[in-house]
Amino acid sequence: MVKVKFLGHAAFYIEGSKKILIDPFLSGNPQAAAKPDDFRDVDLILVTHAHGDHLGDAGEIARLSGAKIVAMYDIANYISEKYRGVETIGMNYGPTEVDGVKIIQVPAWHSSSDGKYSIGNACGYIVELDGVKIYHAGDTFVFKDMELFAELYGPIDVALLPIGGHFTMGPREAAKAVELLRPKYVVPMHYNTWPPISADPEEFKKLVGEKAKVVILKPGETLEL
């Protein structure tokens, strides 16, 4: 069994034979269902881009746990310089395997910076753990290549998709992404953290209809696969 726990905003904790964090923005996150100190036993941390609400506490948690950080090559170098001694694995769109976990880094339509300077490119991840495939889209707008992700790497068991608009897809665009990706389950994320990204997940669920099963998780709740 693989468990996917929503930690708030775009942060998730995936637990199976390995323990994986994605975009662990916990400190300063008004939705956070955990704190960095809760994660002293983590194998991998995946970062989709360098914005503070995604890179978050990755460096601190890696120091606490000894976890390896997987990120876009330039972002991995940035993390290595900022957090000396932390092990990073830099990628640049493509497949790899780390400690038995299959990871495919895929494009995302978004920017990536530390708030001042551009750092690398934004991405998403398709992670296969214990036979379960999980797509974390990162921050992105919908784009036709999502159909290619399904063709190359499907079937996708669960897609974690932003629906908040303003910086990412809104409900309408995310519903189109579901049509392209054809996952079994969808978990909406990156909404209602702050007023600019207010969105109604029930609206998203209606737009998706029968294309997939939408599971609306509150921070701290878990989907078992």
Side-chain angles (χ1 to χ4, degrees):
M1 179 183 294
V2 174
K3 298 178 181 179
V4 180
K5 185 176 185 179
F6 182 42
L7 301 177
H9 197 55
F12 287 85
Y13 177 55
I14 301 169
E15 187 175 8
S17 59
K18 298 290 182 180
K19 298 173 182 177
I20 304 168
L21 279 170
I22 305 180
D23 284 358
F25 167 53
L26 304 174
S27 301
N29 178 356
Q31 287 190 343
K35 56 186 184 297
D37 195 53
D38 294 332
F39 298 100
R40 292 179 175 270
D41 183 18
V42 179
D43 298 295
L44 298 173
I45 301 171
L46 276 55
V47 175
T48 63
H49 60 292
H51 291 157
D53 62 326
H54 293 264
L55 176 56
D57 302 288
E60 180 183 347
I61 294 170
R63 279 179 172 169
L64 287 171
S65 64
K68 299 172 184 176
I69 298 178
V70 179
M72 179 64 67
Y73 180 80
D74 311 82
I75 298 170
N77 288 343
Y78 171 81
I79 294 168
S80 294
E81 290 180 6
K82 190 172 182 179
Y83 298 95
R84 298 290 183 182
V86 168
E87 184 175 353
T88 61
I89 299 168
M91 298 183 66
N92 206 324
Y93 301 144
T96 193
E97 187 169 321
V98 181
D99 298 338
V101 180
K102 295 179 181 178
I103 300 170
I104 302 156
Q105 189 181 81
V106 296
W109 282 13
H110 195 66
S111 60
S112 179
S113 74
D114 61 0
K116 186 175 182 181
Y117 299 108
S118 293
I119 304 172
N121 297 318
C123 72
Y125 292 98
I126 298 170
V127 178
E128 184 174 348
L129 177 66
D130 303 338
V132 175
K133 293 180 182 178
I134 301 162
Y135 170 52
H136 189 296
D139 280 4
T140 191
F141 193 71
V142 64
F143 54 103
K144 189 69 171 174
D145 285 354
M146 289 178 173
E147 193 170 40
L148 187 61
F149 301 166
E151 179 184 332
L152 282 171
Y153 309 118
I156 293 170
D157 292 289
V158 58
L160 313 175
L161 301 180
I163 67 163
H166 195 84
F167 300 106
T168 69
M169 299 184 285
R172 180 184 177 191
E173 295 83 11
K176 182 64 178 180
V178 173
E179 181 182 322
L180 297 171
L181 290 161
R182 304 192 301 276
K184 296 175 186 176
Y185 297 92
V186 186
V187 176
M189 65 172 183
H190 206 279
Y191 68 97
N192 292 349
T193 316
W194 302 287
I197 58 171
S198 295
D200 182 359
E202 293 294 342
E203 177 191 354
F204 170 64
K205 187 173 184 177
K206 289 178 183 177
L207 290 168
V208 170
E210 300 300 316
K211 297 184 186 77
K213 184 175 181 180
V214 176
V215 180
I216 301 169
L217 296 177
K218 296 178 181 177
E221 292 184 337
T222 299
L223 171 63
E224 296 184 354
L225 299 164

